[in-house]
């Protein structure tokens, strides 16, 4: 005989919307404390939930929240992330300017990216709303949504911050990294340049996800000339500014720095999150894997900035990353100890399942 909780799960598929609303609302806590109840009858409750993302907005809100939490279970995650019809429905809904649950859909997409096959999203196409100003490539739509949707400017119900975590996880795959450094035909812009402007944004989630995305894409060594070119991605000022505070440099050092880094205001603050600072320093370490990258960083006086970061940020991970970068920048290029190659860097904790 089914328990009361099992009966409640059965009401997910009730034909009456008021019953579905009550059932899904009351089941939200159990999606984290007892996810196994949703795995009965060969994941039948999960299959029902996938259909209900199109339900009345309030019911859909409960349903999407449950699915966000259930994605922490690998078996359920596989069921969600490998279902193309379900994925297409999420992608269709999230770009609708009036979608009330767009932020929750962003969180769900971020969690689905924990399943490797979600990288197939790079090949997906769908019609784009005219107000989004994108083309039919889903990745372009998501990037434009992230940029134009900040602060509720595209959809008053959403800021799309969690798409930064989606990009961070997707860029662990070479196909996605290649996308982010390729100039797009519809607007003539390299996608990564659209994200770099958020390295000093007010949202911790957005800054953290963007920092991790930039670092992951920096594993593409052949793209480093694009990263360092002022006419292409021009990443250095956007990675260095967040790790700088109001410290003073001697005139010779400061005048050799990038123009955006000179004469910073006295109230300039470095990023408050040491994990983000560490990620940016690790990006610089990746960009130092070629002689050209090291020489450019020496020319624009990256070392003094790293010196001050090491001195002023009381965090073991940050200091370790700074020390590794200093060793690379200060070494004798006439007698290098080793060839320029990408060193393995520690994974940051953007690899955690987002739970609400």
């Amino acid at each position: 005989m089914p328990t009361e909780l099992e009966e409640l799960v059965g009401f997910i598929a009730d034909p009456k919307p008021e019953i579905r609303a009550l059932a899904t609302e009351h089941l939200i806590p159990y999606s984290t404390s007892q996810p196994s109840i949703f795995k009965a009858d060969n994941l039948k409750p999960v299959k029902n939930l996938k259909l209900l993302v199109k339900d009345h907005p309030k019911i859909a809100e409960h349903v999407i929240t449950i699915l966000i939490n259930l994605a922490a279970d690998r078996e359920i995650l596989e069921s969600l992330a490998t279902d193309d019809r379900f994925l297409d429905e999420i992608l269709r809904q999230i770009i609708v300017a009036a979608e009330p649950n767009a932020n929750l859909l962003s969180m769900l997409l971020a969690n689905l990216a924990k399943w490797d096959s979600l990288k197939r999203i790079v090949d997906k196409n769908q019609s784009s709303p005219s107000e989004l100003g994108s083309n039919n490539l889903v990745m372009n739509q998501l990037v434009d949504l992230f940029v134009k949707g900040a602060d509720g400017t595209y959809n008053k119900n959403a800021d799309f911050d969690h798409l930064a975590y989606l990009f961070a996880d997707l860029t662990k795959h070479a196909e996605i990294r290649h996308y982010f450094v390729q100039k797009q035909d519809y607007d003539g812009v390299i996608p990564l340049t659209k994200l770099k402007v958020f390295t000093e944004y007010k949202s911790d989630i957005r800054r953290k996800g963007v920092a991790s995305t930039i670092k992951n894409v920096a594993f593409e060594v052949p793209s480093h000339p694009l990263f360092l070119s002022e006419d292409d991605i021009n990443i250095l000022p956007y990675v260095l500014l967040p790790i700088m505070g109001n410290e003073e440099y001697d005139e010779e050092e400061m005048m050799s720095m990038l123009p955006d880094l000179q004469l910073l205001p006295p109230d300039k603050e470095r990023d408050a999150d040491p994990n983000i600072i560490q990620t940016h320093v690790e990006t610089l370490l990746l960009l130092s894997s070629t002689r050209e990258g090291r020489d450019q960083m020496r020319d624009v006086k990256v070392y003094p900035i790293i010196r001050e970061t090491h001195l002023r940020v009381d965090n073991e991970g940050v200091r370790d990353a700074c020390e590794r970068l200093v060793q690379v920048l200060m070494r004798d290029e006439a007698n290098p100890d080793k060839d320029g190659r990408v060193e393995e860097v520690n994974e940051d904790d953007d690899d955690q399942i987002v739970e609400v």
Side-chain angles (χ1 to χ4, degrees):
M1 187 168 178
T3 65
E4 289 184 5
L5 196 53
E6 289 169 339
E7 287 183 349
L8 185 61
V9 171
F11 286 130
I12 289 173
D14 194 276
K16 296 180 180 178
E18 61 270 24
I19 301 297
R20 295 199 302 276
L22 282 171
T24 53
E25 181 179 10
H26 283 88
L27 283 168
I28 290 174
Y30 298 104
S31 63
T32 54
S33 64
Q34 297 186 50
S36 60
I37 64 173
F38 297 91
K39 299 168 74 170
D41 297 329
N42 195 26
L43 299 180
K44 185 177 179 181
V46 173
K47 294 171 185 175
N48 289 330
L49 288 168
K50 287 192 283 188
L51 295 174
L52 296 182
V53 295
K54 299 182 288 186
D55 210 328
H56 299 290
K58 197 62 185 176
I59 299 174
E61 177 187 335
H62 303 327
V63 167
I64 299 167
T65 302
I66 291 171
L67 291 176
I68 289 169
N69 296 334
L70 290 178
D73 182 283
R74 291 296 291 178
E75 183 182 0
I76 297 175
L77 174 60
E78 180 180 9
S79 172
L80 299 175
T82 59
D83 186 336
D84 262 320
R85 183 175 296 182
F86 172 66
L87 178 59
D88 290 345
E89 179 58 31
I90 294 174
L91 295 172
R92 183 196 67 79
Q93 287 184 218
I94 197 171
I95 61 173
V96 176
E99 170 57 51
N101 296 312
N103 266 351
L104 289 173
L105 291 171
S106 299
M107 296 180 192
L108 180 56
L109 279 174
N111 285 356
L112 297 186
K114 306 297 178 186
W115 195 263
D116 285 348
S117 75
L118 203 82
K119 66 184 180 181
R120 69 189 186 281
I121 201 171
V122 76
D123 297 317
K124 285 188 173 291
N125 288 270
Q126 67 178 3
S127 297
S128 173
S130 57
E131 57 267 36
L132 185 57
S134 196
N135 70 351
N136 288 345
L137 190 68
V138 164
M139 279 301 301
N140 282 334
Q141 293 174 10
L142 293 173
V143 170
D144 289 334
L145 200 58
F146 181 73
V147 175
K148 297 176 181 179
D151 287 328
T153 49
Y154 177 77
N155 180 337
K156 67 179 182 179
N157 304 299
D159 54 31
F160 300 100
D161 284 352
H162 279 89
L163 289 181
Y165 284 1
L166 170 69
F167 301 146
D169 269 319
L170 287 177
T171 48
K172 293 175 182 177
H173 306 289
E175 302 94 318
I176 310 292
R177 294 197 296 269
H178 293 161
Y179 158 78
F180 271 104
V181 295
Q182 290 177 344
K183 186 177 292 186
Q184 300 299 299
D185 292 337
Y186 79 103
D187 62 0
V189 178
I190 298 173
L192 195 61
T193 64
K194 296 181 179 181
L195 303 191
K196 68 179 183 181
V197 298
F198 295 107
T199 56
E200 290 195 290
Y201 198 69
K202 60 186 178 182
S203 163
D204 293 347
I205 294 169
R206 192 170 277 249
R207 293 198 322 278
K208 187 176 182 181
V210 166
S212 294
T213 300
I214 292 170
K215 186 190 81 172
N216 287 344
V217 180
F219 275 95
E220 292 296 311
V221 177
S223 297
H224 284 188
L226 290 175
F227 271 83
L228 299 169
S229 168
E230 291 185 7
D231 297 324
D232 294 296
I233 298 175
N234 189 29
I235 205 65
L236 285 182
Y238 297 92
V239 169
L240 290 167
L241 270 172
I243 71 175
M244 297 178 71
N246 62 353
E247 53 270 10
E248 296 182 0
Y249 297 91
D250 67 48
E251 185 174 356
E252 181 181 353
E253 287 177 339
M254 185 180 66
M255 296 310 294
S256 296
M257 290 180 183
L258 295 168
D260 291 344
L261 311 184
Q262 298 177 16
L263 303 174
L264 296 178
D267 60 350
K268 171 70 172 73
E269 296 180 356
R270 64 174 40 83
D271 199 301
D273 187 338
N275 291 320
I276 294 177
I277 295 176
Q278 179 179 341
T279 300
H280 286 313
V281 176
E282 288 174 344
T283 296
L284 294 169
L285 187 61
L286 289 168
L287 293 174
S288 73
S289 61
T290 65
R291 175 65 183 268
E292 294 77 8
R294 295 191 294 275
D295 286 345
Q296 185 166 340
M297 282 191 253
R298 291 167 183 142
D299 291 342
V300 299
K301 301 300 180 186
V302 168
Y303 166 70
I305 298 171
I306 299 302
R307 178 192 67 210
E308 294 300 318
T309 303
H310 182 275
L311 181 66
R312 296 169 186 268
V313 180
D314 186 15
N315 178 272
E316 184 178 352
V318 171
R319 289 181 171 173
D320 178 64
C322 288
E323 289 166 8
R324 291 160 64 194
L325 180 56
V326 167
Q327 289 173 5
V328 173
L329 294 180
M330 301 300 287
R331 76 186 187 193
D332 182 3
E333 293 288 358
N335 296 290
D337 293 333
K338 56 186 177 181
D339 58 351
R341 65 181 186 273
V342 177
E343 298 184 8
E344 183 180 355
V345 296
N346 293 329
E347 288 293 340
D348 48 48
D349 46 15
D350 276 334
D351 198 38
Q352 298 298 312
I353 289 283
V354 183
E355 189 172 286
V356 292

